[in-house]
Amino acid sequence: MKSLSRLFILICLFALHAAGTSAPSAFVLAYSSYTSSALSASDQAGNIYVQGWAAPPAAPLVNAIQSTPANIYIAKLDPYGKQTLFATYLGGQGDSLTAMAADNAGNLYIAGVSTSGSFPVTTGAFRGAMPAAGQKLIFLAKIDTNAGKLAYSAILGANSLPQPLALA
């Protein structure tokens, strides 16, 4: 992973929006999100992927898979944090991302837990038994951030599976 030590600075740059001039006093906070290094990734090109919580309408969406607000918000930033290359909501209320990894082709792999019952599953993907309302599902997904599409998404199971903590 490249430059995760720069992550805090990049998140701050991502959160600031120029108001028409380059003077620092002309910047306004247009967007803010929570993230941690455990839920961040980078690719060989230095692009940084972050996950957080976002509330509309301020959260920027770029080449989004889903525009409906959800608990999972994912963004891909250029190496300098100057441009949002991809940003989307994913899933529903009650979903949480617990692991992420990026490859050098611009794909993002994510895993987590869903209790919303509305986490998307791609056609032909494995889908474990659906639990009763409120019980947790474990999901695994591959996002093509260059094309802005969900390449693969599966439900692996419910309740008895441990929460996924890492992807390699």
Side-chain angles (χ1 to χ4, degrees), residues 72 94-99 110-121 125-132 134-141 152-167:
I72 297 174
D95 295 344
S96 62
L97 187 62
T98 59
I110 62 170
V113 177
S114 174
T115 59
S116 72
S118 62
F119 195 84
V121 176
F126 178 80
R127 186 180 188 109
M130 293 296 288
Q135 294 180 319
K136 70 177 180 180
L137 294 170
I138 306 301
F139 65 82
L140 177 66
Y152 179 84
S153 181
I155 300 298
L156 302 179
N159 283 341
S160 61
L161 293 176
Q163 176 174 300
L165 298 176
L167 294 171

Side-chain angles (χ1 to χ4, degrees), residues 4-62:
L4 284 183
S5 61
R6 294 186 299 171
L7 181 62
F8 177 74
I9 295 167
L10 291 174
I11 297 303
C12 290
L13 289 172
F14 179 56
L16 294 172
H17 173 70
T21 72
S22 60
S25 61
F27 283 83
V28 295
L29 185 61
Y31 172 78
S32 181
S33 180
Y34 165 80
T35 190
S36 71
S37 61
L39 294 176
S40 304
S42 64
D43 59 27
Q44 191 173 28
N47 296 313
I48 298 196
Y49 303 78
V50 294
Q51 183 269 340
W53 297 83
L61 298 175
V62 177

